[in-house]
Amino acid sequence: MPFWITSLVIAFDQDSFEAILDVYLGEYPPLSYDPRFNKTRSGTSADGEVFVYVNMELLWPIAWSIWDSEFGMLLRMLGVDEIKSIAWTTSLLVPTRSQQAYLYTGDASGLITSILAEHESLLSPHVIPASNADIFLAANVGDPTLTWDKLGDAVKEFMGEDAHAQMQNEITEFERETALNLRDDIIASLAGEIGLAMPASGIMSFASGMEQLMAEGLVFFFGVKDRDRCAMSIGQVLAPQPQPIEYKGVKICHIVDPSGSNGLAGYAFVGDLLVFGSVQTLQSIIDEAAPLAVSEKFARINSQLPQRLGLMYYIDLERIGQLFLGANANIQPGDSIMSLQTLGSTGGTLVYDGNGLKIKTVGTPSGNWLKAMGILAELFVYTLR
């Protein structure tokens, strides 16, 4: 049976369409004969109804000509141009809205692949309260000192000797002023985990600046390997000296603002994490509120994801939808936009498996992609009114 009976083929010019016909007629090998295509496709599941493949080596020259030099330099420094091809698949009818992507890099080993290598599961979901983590992002970058060394090498290679020398001069000046060695005292005192978390209400405060975000509950956290050295380093970097207060046996340090008074932000060591946030938020964490890991919504997402990972995100879409609806008094209970609060939660992981970056995203069973796209279309129409 001719392939055009079972397939819809769209080409933007006659040469492209004729090339497809040549493959069908056996004059040229099909894409399935390409080893790179097969390696890239093998990084994703074959279960989805939608499959997309992109040969990035053909697109990078176009991308570099469009993006400005500084942005392009940053991407090259991270090693983004090591991505040779991408495969993406999704299931339109599965209620968990699962997606998978594979960014094939071959044997390349740059900054981003080393940062996102496979590591043990994260500590932070067992420390950060669920009430403070409607939006959660964390990564395990492995050995921070090795990552720092790779960053220095990447700056030297892609930004040139002058930029690398300037960075080294600034580091030397910082070390002179603080009497610290940036790599051996500060970075070496940390473990590989790093991330942030905040409640849904923080979304409304993005335009108001960092202080308001902190007040809403935004926290940054870092894994700690040597608490004493880390505490000593922070004390020497911050001036004036942070002011400690005792709360339920845990020391919270107020970060003093330039006027000399205690500011909104502070930090504390909670378990094996160094957490920066408002003092009120730090107290709520110390109060041992139910951590994210025991949240039913998070658990339903986490159970579908690999436990050895490089990066993980989690978003409670239902809470964000409720917040949006509550902030718009004109929305009536019967309006179709109310379906925003039925999206549930979503999460995903990203990990380097030795040949490429494997991405997986899932959602709670609250409707397939077709339903989700309908809800998002309703939201788009609503914002245009």
Side-chain angles (χ1 to χ4, degrees), residues 174-250:
F174 168 83
E175 293 178 339
R176 185 188 64 78
E177 293 177 354
T178 60
L180 292 169
N181 183 291
L182 178 59
R183 182 188 186 277
D184 297 336
D185 290 324
I186 299 177
I187 296 175
S189 70
L190 301 175
E193 192 159 340
I194 182 172
L196 60 87
M198 71 176 182
S201 57
I203 293 178
M204 302 299 186
S205 304
F206 267 109
S208 302
M210 183 59 67
E211 185 170 344
Q212 185 58 37
L213 282 170
M214 286 277 191
E216 291 290 343
L218 172 67
V219 296
F220 298 95
F221 49 83
F222 305 85
V224 176
K225 183 164 49 181
D226 187 334
R227 181 182 292 197
D228 291 338
R229 187 195 293 185
C230 185
M232 179 271 295
S233 299
I234 295 173
Q236 288 183 226
V237 169
L238 295 177
Q241 282 286 309
Q243 297 300 307
I245 61 172
E246 197 81 13
Y247 183 77
K248 295 186 177 181
V250 178

Side-chain angles (χ1 to χ4, degrees), residues 34-361:
D34 183 354
R36 179 182 299 172
F37 171 80
N38 291 318
K39 289 179 181 178
T40 309
R41 184 168 191 175
S42 67
T44 64
S45 167
D47 298 335
E49 295 90 11
V50 178
F51 176 79
V52 176
Y53 172 77
V54 181
N55 185 342
M56 292 303 299
E57 289 194 328
L58 298 178
L59 293 183
W60 285 131
I62 300 173
W64 303 139
S65 67
I66 295 174
W67 291 327
D68 63 67
S69 57
E70 290 186 3
F71 182 61
M73 189 70 71
L74 174 62
L75 292 180
R76 282 192 174 96
M77 190 173 71
L78 291 173
V80 172
D81 58 344
E82 293 174 355
I83 299 171
K84 297 177 172 63
S85 53
I86 297 174
W88 172 76
T89 182
T90 187
S91 300
L92 295 176
L93 304 178
V94 173
T96 57
R97 305 188 299 278
S98 62
Q99 299 182 81
Q100 294 183 52
Y102 192 69
L103 285 58
Y104 176 68
T105 60
D107 57 0
S109 180
L111 184 60
I112 195 168
T113 52
S114 63
I115 289 175
L116 296 172
E118 187 178 86
H119 298 292
E120 297 292 338
S121 57
L122 299 167
L123 169 67
S124 47
H126 301 276
V127 176
I128 304 300
S131 59
N132 204 74
D134 296 327
I135 299 171
F136 172 85
L137 175 69
N140 190 332
V141 301
D143 186 337
T145 55
L146 294 180
T147 301
W148 176 255
D149 293 342
K150 276 187 170 288
L151 176 61
D153 293 340
V155 170
K156 187 174 183 179
E157 179 179 356
F158 292 100
M159 301 187 71
E161 294 283 353
D162 292 343
H164 184 258
Q166 181 180 350
M167 184 182 81
Q168 290 299 119
N169 290 337
E170 292 173 354
I171 291 173
T172 300
E173 181 63 19
F174 168 83
E175 293 178 339
R176 185 188 64 78
E177 293 177 354
T178 60
L180 292 169
N181 183 291
L182 178 59
R183 182 188 186 277
D184 297 336
D185 290 324
I186 299 177
I187 296 175
S189 70
L190 301 175
E193 192 159 340
I194 182 172
L196 60 87
M198 71 176 182
S201 57
I203 293 178
M204 302 299 186
S205 304
F206 267 109
S208 302
M210 183 59 67
E211 185 170 344
Q212 185 58 37
L213 282 170
M214 286 277 191
E216 291 290 343
L218 172 67
V219 296
F220 298 95
F221 49 83
F222 305 85
V224 176
K225 183 164 49 181
D226 187 334
R227 181 182 292 197
D228 291 338
R229 187 195 293 185
C230 185
M232 179 271 295
S233 299
I234 295 173
Q236 288 183 226
V237 169
L238 295 177
Q241 282 286 309
Q243 297 300 307
I245 61 172
E246 197 81 13
Y247 183 77
K248 295 186 177 181
V250 178
K251 183 168 72 173
I252 299 177
C253 293
H254 265 291
I255 297 177
V256 180
D257 63 28
S259 68
S261 59
N262 287 342
L264 169 73
Y267 62 90
F269 292 94
V270 185
D272 290 327
L273 290 184
L274 168 63
V275 185
F276 287 87
S278 73
V279 172
Q280 182 179 359
T281 302
L282 294 173
Q283 289 173 339
S284 73
I285 294 174
I286 295 166
D287 282 337
E288 298 182 0
L292 182 63
V294 303
S295 162
E296 181 181 355
K297 292 180 182 178
F298 178 83
R300 292 170 74 183
I301 294 294
N302 196 39
S303 64
Q304 303 177 68
L305 297 172
Q307 296 306 297
R308 292 180 63 84
L309 47 84
L311 177 146
M312 177 185 186
Y313 82 88
Y314 167 78
I315 303 175
D316 189 336
L317 298 173
E318 181 179 348
R319 287 272 298 136
I320 295 173
Q322 291 171 347
L323 184 70
F324 174 83
L325 295 172
N328 290 271
N330 295 328
I331 297 176
Q332 301 301 314
D335 290 350
S336 59
I337 193 67
M338 292 294 291
S339 54
L340 266 177
Q341 50 193 340
T342 68
L343 286 175
S345 303
T346 185
T349 57
L350 193 158
V351 63
Y352 178 65
D353 68 358
N355 288 300
L357 297 165
K358 183 174 290 188
I359 303 170
K360 181 177 182 180
T361 69

Side-chain angles (χ1 to χ4, degrees), residues 367-379:
N368 57 42
W369 269 116
L370 295 179
K371 177 183 176 182
M373 287 187 286
I375 294 173
L376 295 175
E378 290 173 2
L379 176 61

